[in-house]
Amino acid sequence: MNSDGAADGAPDRDSAKDWDWDGDGDGDWDRDRDREHRRDMLAEVHRERDRLLPLRAEATETTIELMRTSTGHVSEPDLVPYLNLMYLLTVKRAYGDDQLLAFALSLANWAVVAIDEVAHHTGRTAEQVIDQYETEIMAARESNPPEEWETGSIPETETDSD
């Protein structure tokens, strides 16, 4: 057995430079490293899910609040990102990074379901719905760059003028 636990005569990782299955010049250890990396990432995801699970109910309630508030202002599209950012910052400041991560996960889950529902009701695939929104968003950015992001100004709302 060599230092990597392989049978005698098989190259170890240090001498594998001339033994290269995938042609990238470093030996064919990439698949093992990739597999190990995926296994490590999956284990981390499971640990984080278990750790964040107790925060799910509150994150879902906050998501519902945000959806009700933000969708009530879709006629003011410049305001919606600020409302969403306000929710994110409030969660982060009031509850910390774990609750923020739980909230972000809840929002991502809602987004996936919403896109799937739009696709279902319009007879398209989710990929087609995403492509449409991506195209529209990119076209809007090109034709009308958000000057308020450059200047740092926030659109005035009814409560700001009081």
Side-chain angles (χ1 to χ4, degrees):
M1 299 288 256
N2 64 25
S3 62
D4 287 321
D8 287 330
D12 61 19
R13 291 179 191 232
D14 295 331
S15 65
K17 292 176 178 55
D18 60 345
W19 186 59
D20 187 24
W21 292 346
D22 57 8
D24 62 2
D26 65 353
D28 194 37
W29 302 104
D30 293 339
R31 284 187 233 162
D32 290 340
R33 286 187 202 142
D34 290 345
R35 188 177 301 126
E36 185 177 325
H37 178 71
R38 284 191 304 272
R39 191 178 9 241
D40 290 346
M41 287 298 297
L42 189 57
E44 181 181 0
V45 166
H46 281 285
R47 283 191 307 273
E48 285 297 301
R49 180 193 176 278
D50 291 346
R51 194 174 66 74
L52 295 172
L53 202 54
L55 305 175
R56 181 171 56 181
E58 189 169 350
T60 300
E61 290 175 20
T62 305
T63 299
I64 293 168
E65 285 177 27
L66 177 136
M67 293 296 173
R68 289 186 194 284
T69 300
S70 293
T71 57
H73 291 280
V74 293
S75 62
E76 304 172 74
D78 291 340
L79 180 60
V80 172
Y82 293 100
L83 291 172
N84 293 340
L85 183 56
M86 180 185 68
Y87 267 89
L88 291 167
L89 290 172
T90 300
V91 168
K92 182 179 180 180
R93 289 179 181 147
Y95 303 106
D97 290 342
D98 285 352
Q99 188 67 36
L100 179 62
L101 190 56
F103 180 42
L105 179 59
S106 177
L107 286 169
N109 291 339
W110 274 65
V112 168
V113 171
I115 288 169
D116 189 60
E117 285 288 315
V118 168
H120 174 75
H121 290 290
T122 60
R124 296 180 290 168
T125 66
E127 189 66 31
Q128 290 169 325
V129 172
I130 293 167
D131 288 346
Q132 175 192 344
Y133 282 102
E134 180 182 28
T135 301
E136 290 174 6
I137 289 169
M138 293 181 88
R141 280 187 194 151
E142 289 174 4
S143 67
N144 189 15
E147 295 170 11
E148 67 272 5
W149 287 104
E150 295 169 11
T151 63
S153 65
I154 298 174
E156 192 170 304
T157 64
E158 293 173 18
T159 56
D160 290 340
S161 59
D162 291 338

